[in-house]
């Protein structure tokens, strides 16, 4: 530990839904090296989302090796881990997968959500009934693949899986594991009641430690493979949302991080345990604190979906990416997209409705509308949803949300951040570091080993978290968006009763009648 704390750098590892990034940071929070490896996502049936867990490790190994090669590896003091939440894998006694991992956005457990999503489960776990917590997918396994749970020596989150590969330890932080929906949030321990319900024991689960604790150290073989010194501490982080908030500098109430990534996750700080349908409660990245988070699983996912399905307007000889062309065109469309409005529930509705049957909708179509109108309507729909959920958190806690601290790919869009500011009436401060989630893991690693002579997490955040500028609301756009928000608030209530019969009549509810094309061959 003494040798490690004398180093100049820490590495934040962020294993997300489609890629692992390993970013080397100096003690001022500047990225000085980076490695990245992508991996596939499987959709074997409508609503199902799976991965091979071995890809988590293969991508991490490649990303770490690439990042370490860009600096003096002897100066790396520690590695911190953050990851996609709620995703889990069932392993045998040798650590091999018994079936593909089930991901956070997997929607197969609608029946189990309806049956087991009680106020008691919500109060204990802090998670409203929803498609994301692993609890309901474990219930699905119990009912549909009972041999899988019975034969599982280990059921682990992404952080545990990676920690074991790096250190040989089956350990994780409670802020990494609690999104699974099996942790008693009042005590940060595994809930006996919830484990009994799904049919698991604590022996099948990893040991829980506080975020910022040392999970273990790199062994000789894996260190040699990665090009890193033996004995580097591997530090417990938190889920990617909580780490993104830490990397953004959310260390007090009144600030809300907004991760404009695949999903739109927004969260604020709480010193006490609260549970409500207005948010989901997570373990905070600082031990003993909580994160109150809202979630829309269709964030930049909608943009990727749009580009894949509809493509961009012709480039007209301009040297712009497809997304830049669409953004430039959408920027010329007035607020309100000339009467087009989007309900952005392509992957069900989370906060505050928690409705697994909800689906996306577009209203107001006319022959005048084109792709640029739909593109802008999608951006506005996400912003309307962010206002709806942010106001809900503020009303429930009694603490106003003063500003957003934005990160993720969407935060680099001037148009999108301006729309968010205009729709919500709140300034949007954009984080300087693109990989804010990895930075949050690096902050915890830096504090754990005393990088720069400081062990306090708050002081380390103050030193390492930076912003690049603020987008303020446009007074000219606010009145129109205020009127449009009044329409948006009525959209889901007007449609909610139509979604279940639509799914039932189309055969899309409650089953897996046909396979979709898979990005990865089945095992």
């Amino acid at each position: 530990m003494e040798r490690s704390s004398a180093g100049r750098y820490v590495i934040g590892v962020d294993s997300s839904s489609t890629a692992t990034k390993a970013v080397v940071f100096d003690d001022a929070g500047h990225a000085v090296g980076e490695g990245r490896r992508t991996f596939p996502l499987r959709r074997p049936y409508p609503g199902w989302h799976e991965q091979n867990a071995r890809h988590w490790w293969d991508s991490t190994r490649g990303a770490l090796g690439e990042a370490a090669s860009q600096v003096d590896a002897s100066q790396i003091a520690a590695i911190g881990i953050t990851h996609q939440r709620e995703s889990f894998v069932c392993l045998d006694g040798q650590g091999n997968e018994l079936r593909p991992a089930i991901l956070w956005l997997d929607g197969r457990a609608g029946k189990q959500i309806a049956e087991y999503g009680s106020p008691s489960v919500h109060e204990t776990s802090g998670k409203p009934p929803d498609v994301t917590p692993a609890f309901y997918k474990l219930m699905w396994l119990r009912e549909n693949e009972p041999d899988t749970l019975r034969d599982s020596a280990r059921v682990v989150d992404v952080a545990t899986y990676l920690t074991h590969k790096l250190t040989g330890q089956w350990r994780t932080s409670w802020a990494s594991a609690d999104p699974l929906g099996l942790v008693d949030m009042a005590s940060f321990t595994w809930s006996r009641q919830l484990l009994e319900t799904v049919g698991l024991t604590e022996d099948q689960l990893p040991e829980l430690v506080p975020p910022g604790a040392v999970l273990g150290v790199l062994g000789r073989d894996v260190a040699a493979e990665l090009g890193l010194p033996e004995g580097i501490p591997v530090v417990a982080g938190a889920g990617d949302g909580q780490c993104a908030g830490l990397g953004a500098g959310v260390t007090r109430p009144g600030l809300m991080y907004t991760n404009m990534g695949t999903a739109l996750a927004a969260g604020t700080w709480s010193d006490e345990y609260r549970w409500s349908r207005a948010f989901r409660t997570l373990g905070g990245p600082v031990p003993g604190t909580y994160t109150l988070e809202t979630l829309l699983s269709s964030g930049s996912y909608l943009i990727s979906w749009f580009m894949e399905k509809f493509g961009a307007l012709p480039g007209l000889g301009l040297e712009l990416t497809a997304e830049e062309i669409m953004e430039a065109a959408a920027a010329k469309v007035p607020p309100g997209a000339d009467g087009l409005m989007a309900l952005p529930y392509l992957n069900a509705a989370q906060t505050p409705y928690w409705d697994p049957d909800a689906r996306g909708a577009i209203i107001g179509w006319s022959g005048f509308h084109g792709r640029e109108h739909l593109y802008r309507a999608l951006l506005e729909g996400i912003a309307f949803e962010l206002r709806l959920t942010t106001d809900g958190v503020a009303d429930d806690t009694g603490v106003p949300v003063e500003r957003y601290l934005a990160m993720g790919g969407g935060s680099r869009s001037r148009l999108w951040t301006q729309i968010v500011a205009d729709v919500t009436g709140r300034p949007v401060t954009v984080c300087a570091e693109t990989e804010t989630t990895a930075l949050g893991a690096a902050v915890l690693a830096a504090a754990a080993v005393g990088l720069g002579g400081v062990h306090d997490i708050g002081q380390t955040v103050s030193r390492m978290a930076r912003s690049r500028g603020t987008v303020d609301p446009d007074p000219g756009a606010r009145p129109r968006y205020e009127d449009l928000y009044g329409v948006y608030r009525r959209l889901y209530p007007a449609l909610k009763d139509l979604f279940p019969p639509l799914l039932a009549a189309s055969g899309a509810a409650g089953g897996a009648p046909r396979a979709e094309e898979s990005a990865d061959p089945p095992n």
Side-chain angles (χ1 to χ4, degrees):
M1 186 70 70
E2 294 178 357
R3 178 198 60 77
S4 295
S5 62
R8 297 172 54 199
Y9 308 121
V10 287
I11 300 180
V13 173
D14 174 17
S15 184
S16 67
S17 305
T18 57
T20 297
K21 290 149 282 187
V23 186
V24 184
F25 294 97
D26 64 18
D27 64 1
H30 297 100
V32 296
E34 179 178 341
R36 186 177 188 271
R37 295 290 187 277
T38 61
F39 48 85
L41 185 151
R42 301 176 63 242
R43 301 178 182 90
Y45 300 104
W48 291 31
H49 293 79
E50 298 182 341
Q51 278 170 344
N52 291 321
R54 68 177 182 271
H55 292 149
W56 300 342
W57 170 238
D58 290 342
S59 62
T60 298
R61 177 173 53 195
L64 271 171
E66 181 181 357
S69 71
Q70 297 171 24
V71 297
D72 179 357
S74 69
Q75 294 296 306
I76 295 173
I79 299 170
I81 298 177
T82 184
H83 54 94
Q84 57 169 307
R85 297 172 293 187
E86 293 102 6
S87 302
F88 68 96
V89 65
C90 298
L91 306 172
D92 65 17
Q94 287 70 50
N96 300 313
E97 299 169 68
L98 293 173
R99 69 170 326 281
I102 300 178
L103 303 192
W104 60 274
L105 70 169
D106 187 280
R108 75 186 68 192
K111 171 179 174 290
Q112 290 72 29
I113 294 168
E115 184 173 353
Y116 297 100
S118 67
S120 174
V121 170
H122 182 182
E123 181 176 6
T124 301
S125 68
K127 314 298 181 289
D130 177 43
V131 297
T132 52
F135 173 79
Y136 301 104
K137 295 155 200 179
L138 288 165
M139 293 304 302
W140 185 94
L141 287 176
R142 181 175 181 175
E143 296 175 8
N144 294 275
E145 298 180 18
D147 292 350
T148 299
L149 287 187
R150 187 190 64 236
D151 296 340
S152 294
R154 302 278 179 181
V155 177
V156 301
D157 63 310
V158 178
T160 305
Y161 187 86
L162 296 179
T163 296
H164 185 257
K165 293 292 187 181
L166 290 167
T167 71
Q169 302 295 317
W170 295 106
R171 307 177 82 196
T172 192
S173 85
W174 62 59
S176 287
D178 84 72
L180 296 176
L182 299 172
V183 171
D184 184 329
M185 293 300 291
S187 61
F188 294 123
T189 59
W190 296 115
S191 165
R192 180 175 300 178
Q193 170 196 351
L194 297 178
L195 294 186
E196 288 177 352
T197 301
V198 300
L200 292 174
T201 66
E202 283 196 39
D203 291 339
Q204 294 171 281
L205 296 165
E207 176 188 355
L208 297 179
V209 302
V214 174
L215 295 163
V217 298
L218 284 185
R220 177 181 303 171
D221 292 344
V222 69
E225 182 179 7
L226 298 173
L228 291 167
E230 178 185 356
I232 291 178
V234 176
V235 177
D240 50 11
Q242 301 105 297
C243 273
L246 190 66
V250 177
T251 55
R252 64 171 177 84
L255 302 176
M256 177 169 275
Y257 66 81
T258 306
N259 195 345
M260 301 169 72
T262 304
L264 185 76
T268 191
W269 175 287
S270 178
D271 292 311
E272 61 180 4
Y273 179 51
R274 306 176 63 95
W275 62 283
S276 168
R277 290 182 66 85
F279 46 79
R280 59 181 188 172
T281 308
L282 302 159
V286 176
T289 69
Y290 295 89
T291 295
L292 310 181
E293 187 179 79
T294 67
L295 176 67
L296 173 66
S297 60
S298 301
S300 63
Y301 176 96
L302 266 72
I303 307 308
S304 300
W305 166 82
F306 176 95
M307 298 306 300
E308 177 184 345
K309 301 297 184 182
F310 299 99
L313 293 164
L316 302 177
L318 300 177
E319 293 184 359
L320 299 173
T321 66
E323 289 82 0
E324 288 170 340
I325 293 170
M326 283 310 312
E327 178 154 329
K332 296 180 180 179
V333 175
D338 286 318
L340 203 63
M341 181 172 285
L343 188 68
Y345 298 156
L346 266 65
N347 292 316
Q350 283 81 37
T351 326
Y353 303 121
W354 308 105
D355 182 356
D357 291 329
R359 293 296 184 268
I362 307 291
I363 66 167
W365 279 116
S366 75
F368 174 74
H369 293 123
R371 278 176 286 186
E372 64 272 28
H373 294 90
L374 177 56
Y375 193 87
R376 185 176 185 109
L378 293 173
L379 297 181
E380 291 179 340
I382 297 168
F384 285 131
E385 189 68 13
L386 180 60
R387 175 174 173 182
L388 178 74
T389 56
T390 301
D391 289 354
V393 172
D395 291 344
D396 189 280
T397 62
V399 179
V401 174
E402 304 162 11
R403 70 174 54 241
Y404 298 111
L405 301 176
M407 75 287 294
S411 70
R412 269 39 191 175
S413 166
R414 174 68 192 197
L415 174 62
W416 199 0
T417 52
Q418 187 66 62
I419 288 173
V420 167
D422 294 346
V423 167
T424 65
R426 296 175 173 94
V428 179
T429 295
V430 179
C431 297
E433 175 52 53
T434 303
E435 302 298 342
T436 315
T437 304
L439 177 59
V443 164
L444 290 170
V449 298
L451 190 70
V454 176
H455 285 277
D456 180 77
I457 295 174
Q459 292 180 34
T460 304
V461 169
S462 297
R463 185 180 75 240
M464 297 181 72
R466 297 167 293 109
S467 65
R468 61 180 295 185
T470 296
V471 179
D472 291 312
D474 177 1
R478 288 286 299 131
R480 176 172 291 186
Y481 276 129
E482 197 67 27
D483 292 340
L484 289 165
Y485 179 64
V487 177
Y488 181 83
R489 293 186 61 183
R490 298 165 58 188
L491 192 52
Y492 169 79
L495 295 175
K496 67 177 181 179
D497 292 337
L498 295 176
F499 292 127
L502 171 63
L503 296 176
S506 64
R514 61 181 175 83
E516 295 183 0
E517 181 179 357
S518 174
D520 185 36
N523 288 334

